[in-house]
Amino acid sequence: MSIKTSSPEEAPRSTSVSPSAAARLRKVHWYQEPRWRRLGALLALGVTLRLMTGAEGTTRDLFMALREDFTGPGLWIWLGIAVAVWAVREFLADQTSQAVKGTRSAASAPLARVRHLWESDKRFRMGVLTAVLALVVFGPLGVERYWQQVLVDQIAIFVLLAIGLNVVIGWAGLLDLGFIAFFAIGAYSAAYWTGALPVQPPVVLNNFLVLPIAVLTCLVAGVILGAPTLRLRGDYLAIVTLGFHEIVYLMAKNAEGVTEGARGVKVERFSIDLGFFSYEWKLDPMPYYWLLVVFVVLAIFLFLRLEHSKVGRAWTAIREDEVAAAATGVDTVRYKLMAFAIGASTSGVAGVAYASKVGYFNPENFAILLSVLVLAYVIFGGMGSIPGVLFGAAFLVWLPEGLREYVDPKDRYMYLGALLVIMMIYRPQGVFPSRRRKRELQMAEAGIGGADATGPAEGRQP
């Protein structure tokens, strides 16, 4: 069988594009230029912010809010702010950059001297820490009663929770979406051992004596959760911890014969009776605040010692590269189990303190939203950094309360979400990141090694 070949003259001719057509294809319209696209994005952001801060709709007139938002002066104010930001970005970028660089260079020398004093002079370091501690202890005495309640019921409690979650996420690199389950276990431990539940304990204890028992209970719960699941990684581990939270939450809600169910539990407040001295915590929030400050300071001291120990170094190795850590002899399952258990211990203290302070709680006080919020506090402040975690928890708990006079309660968390989105775009390492985490993110941005901005570094060189 012969195959017919075509001559070069019979081959199909390639289609050519005229220079004018190619020029039309390469032409970029004015609205496609980056400058005007940025203006459009900022104008859209201004409209969105106006809708967020404008009037609320009603069921009688669904379009009332839109009419108010688009006809009042508020829209033009937001659009003016958007245009001003765009103009500064486009036409004053060099001047702004030079001003920022000048400010940094002027502040670098004083900051370097302060850093040198902090690292070399122990008396200076102790003096600063003493001043900060005195401000933390006595500063709330000058604020109104409402903010004292916020400091105790929310900020101090969530600071304790964030410190514990930082061990799991920031140091060991394990994603936990059910951390509030340990908080619930601590609170129900206080209710059980003080005789507030239908099931009576073998002996009724004082709230202070319940603290070590609650810590031990949360340690055991962390081991029970971690033992069968810590061979999982990433999203699978997160789903398991989420399921653990739902199990604890539904048991507290449905086991009415044990936990009182949705009716809730009343718990006695803290008290001390030594015979020659007795004191009972009542409605004044400040004694609770000082007690929680003691718990927080003790937890920070112990965890900082733990961070630089053999266990802390093993957690760092697991977080950066679990396979390499296992290859060098680190018992990864054991140390991850310890991270879950030790991180859960502060939740036991927080649960007892919360139950004893509020005097009444029910399962709805331990919803899954709280686990997400504590996770956001740790990431916002800086994973692996104790100062960052303290700032992140304190600031983000304060923010919705600080907006209460200006923003509808239903919209407060919308502002919190917007702040977190902006933070993750422009500063993913957090406000006060740990040195190691900051270095990992810089390596990821530079493409050095196997570093990943959202996960552990693989430790390989290209």
Side-chain angles (χ1 to χ4, degrees):
M1 182 176 64
S2 61
I3 300 175
K4 183 180 179 180
T5 60
S6 59
S7 61
E9 291 78 6
E10 297 176 354
R13 296 180 179 179
S14 59
T15 59
S16 60
V17 181
S18 62
S20 60
R24 286 195 299 271
L25 291 174
R26 290 193 299 266
K27 182 180 180 181
V28 177
H29 298 283
W30 66 269
Y31 55 83
Q32 294 176 322
E33 294 180 1
R35 170 178 297 179
W36 304 110
R37 291 173 62 181
R38 285 191 289 266
L39 176 60
L42 283 172
L43 291 176
L45 178 61
V47 173
T48 303
L49 291 173
R50 174 55 184 165
L51 293 175
M52 289 172 57
T53 58
E56 294 188 7
T58 62
T59 55
R60 297 180 180 179
D61 188 354
L62 298 178
F63 298 98
M64 184 272 293
L66 292 177
R67 288 196 301 269
E68 292 289 333
D69 292 342
F70 285 101
T71 58
L75 176 64
W76 300 107
I77 294 174
W78 281 112
L79 292 180
I81 294 173
V83 172
V85 171
W86 173 80
V88 171
R89 166 65 177 80
E90 298 299 330
F91 303 108
L92 300 177
D94 294 338
Q95 294 85 339
T96 305
S97 178
Q98 291 297 329
V100 171
K101 290 180 180 178
T103 304
R104 287 181 177 178
S105 61
S108 60
L111 289 177
R113 286 196 296 269
V114 172
R115 189 180 298 110
H116 176 72
L117 281 174
W118 177 266
E119 295 176 353
S120 60
D121 193 341
K122 183 177 180 181
R123 291 178 298 177
F124 175 78
R125 186 165 59 250
M126 293 302 297
V128 172
L129 292 176
T130 303
V132 171
L133 184 60
L135 179 63
V136 170
V137 172
F138 300 107
L141 292 174
V143 302
E144 59 185 34
R145 182 70 171 266
Y146 173 81
W147 287 109
Q148 292 177 354
Q149 295 284 3
V150 171
L151 277 173
V152 177
D153 297 347
Q154 299 184 50
I155 294 179
I157 295 295
F158 277 104
V159 163
L160 268 176
L161 293 173
I163 291 173
L165 185 58
N166 182 59
V167 173
V168 181
I169 294 180
W171 292 348
L174 307 173
L175 183 57
D176 189 353
L177 294 181
F179 196 73
I180 289 299
F182 301 111
F183 183 41
I185 291 172
Y188 278 100
S189 297
Y192 173 72
W193 289 102
T194 56
L197 295 180
V199 179
Q200 292 298 306
V203 56
V204 177
L205 300 177
N206 182 276
N207 299 60
F208 282 104
L209 298 178
V210 176
L211 286 170
I213 298 178
V215 170
L216 182 62
T217 304
C218 288
L219 287 171
V220 173
V223 172
I224 293 174
L225 170 63
T229 61
L230 282 182
R231 296 185 185 275
L232 302 174
R233 298 182 186 178
D235 300 338
Y236 301 100
L237 179 60
I239 292 172
V240 169
T241 57
L242 182 63
F244 175 72
H245 170 273
E246 290 303 304
I247 291 173
V248 173
Y249 170 76
L250 291 176
M251 287 182 60
K253 190 173 184 179
N254 297 328
E256 297 184 357
V258 179
T259 64
E260 293 286 2
R263 291 193 299 269
V265 185
K266 293 183 178 180
V267 180
E268 296 294 329
R269 300 183 184 275
F270 282 113
S271 62
I272 295 177
D273 189 1
L274 302 177
F276 62 91
F277 174 79
S278 62
Y279 182 79
E280 181 179 356
W281 278 253
K282 297 182 180 179
L283 297 179
D284 186 6
M286 289 310 299
Y288 295 97
Y289 173 75
W290 290 322
L291 183 63
L292 285 169
V293 167
V294 173
F295 293 155
V296 169
V297 171
L298 183 61
I300 292 174
F301 174 76
L302 294 177
F303 282 2
L304 285 178
R305 301 280 293 182
L306 189 63
E307 181 186 8
H308 301 290
S309 66
K310 175 184 176 182
V311 176
R313 292 193 295 271
W315 287 339
T316 300
I318 292 170
R319 179 174 60 83
E320 293 186 351
D321 193 332
E322 185 176 347
V323 176
T328 55
V330 177
D331 190 346
T332 57
V333 175
R334 175 191 174 192
Y335 283 107
K336 289 196 295 184
L337 198 61
M338 291 176 63
F340 256 96
I342 295 174
S345 62
T346 61
S347 297
V349 177
V352 174
Y354 178 77
S356 303
K357 166 61 176 67
V358 298
Y360 168 84
F361 65 89
N362 60 29
E364 299 305 321
N365 293 105
F366 313 106
I368 188 62
L369 174 63
L370 297 182
S371 292
V372 177
L373 288 177
V374 177
L375 176 62
Y377 300 157
V378 174
I379 296 175
F380 179 85
M383 291 188 296
S385 169
I386 292 293
V389 168
L390 297 177
F391 173 80
F395 178 76
L396 292 187
V397 172
W398 166 86
L399 182 61
E401 297 298 327
L403 296 174
R404 77 187 195 279
E405 296 181 357
Y406 313 101
V407 180
D408 187 87
K410 299 187 293 297
D411 297 337
R412 293 177 190 171
Y413 286 103
M414 182 164 54
Y415 290 85
L416 178 60
L419 177 62
L420 291 175
V421 169
I422 295 172
M423 189 69 186
M424 291 303 99
I425 293 174
Y426 294 103
R427 194 173 176 83
Q429 68 268 30
V431 180
F432 299 110
S434 64
R435 293 181 180 179
R436 188 181 298 273
R437 181 64 177 169
K438 185 177 180 180
R439 184 170 62 252
E440 289 176 5
L441 288 169
Q442 290 174 348
M443 292 172 60
E445 292 175 357
I448 300 174
D452 180 9
T454 59
E458 296 180 8
R460 296 189 298 268
Q461 296 296 326

